[in-house]
Amino acid sequence: MTAVPGTVTEVPAAAAGSAYVETRLFFGTERPDGGPDVTDEQFMAFVDRSVTPGFPDGLTVQDGRGQWRDANGTIEKERSYELTLLYPASQARARGPLIERIREAYRAAYGQESVARLDEPTLADF
């Protein structure tokens, strides 16, 4: 089965659910300026302030460890958070700008070079 960007791929007949988009955001915790790492309390306060208002129906936060190559070519290894948002595919255009504001708010608040974003079509049933 080959995925086509912007479409839900074919699923087995037994699968149930409606078309949704799963967006995952990856937040690093080390500050490039050498300041203290972002704490759990700071991150959850950020979620409460910057994410929950646009996604009040629910979200998932997972702790992680990650690495990436920064703008200077250094491989950075750090504690991270993965935030998962799930919303109806029909709302993707409206939710996109909200997600971009979340990414920018975190970059600005904690001096990050990047907040990675992954979007995947999926089926969900609640």
Side-chain angles (χ1 to χ4, degrees):
M1 175 169 30
T2 302
V4 176
T7 65
V8 175
T9 58
E10 190 174 325
V11 295
S18 300
Y20 273 73
V21 175
E22 177 184 12
T23 295
R24 293 185 293 155
L25 301 176
F26 298 88
F27 300 87
T29 57
E30 288 187 8
R31 297 189 194 203
D33 64 4
D37 290 359
V38 177
T39 66
D40 288 339
E41 293 78 18
Q42 289 171 315
F43 185 76
M44 292 313 298
F46 172 82
V47 169
D48 291 345
R49 179 178 64 253
S50 300
V51 182
T52 300
F55 295 88
D57 293 334
L59 53 87
T60 300
V61 174
Q62 296 183 41
D63 292 324
R65 297 286 311 164
Q67 70 180 43
W68 75 298
R69 187 181 314 268
D70 69 15
N72 297 319
T74 303
I75 295 179
E76 302 286 347
K77 296 181 181 187
E78 62 188 327
R79 188 173 54 83
S80 60
Y81 298 98
E82 179 181 344
L83 173 69
T84 303
L85 304 168
L86 192 63
Y87 47 93
S90 62
Q91 297 177 10
R93 276 205 164 87
R95 299 291 181 111
L98 295 174
I99 293 167
E100 289 308 303
R101 283 195 292 275
I102 292 166
R103 295 174 72 205
E104 181 53 38
Y106 191 80
R107 284 192 296 260
Y110 299 107
Q112 300 293 301
E113 285 184 26
S114 178
V115 172
R117 175 179 178 173
L118 300 175
D119 294 309
E120 293 190 48
T122 190
L123 295 177
D125 187 28
F126 299 93

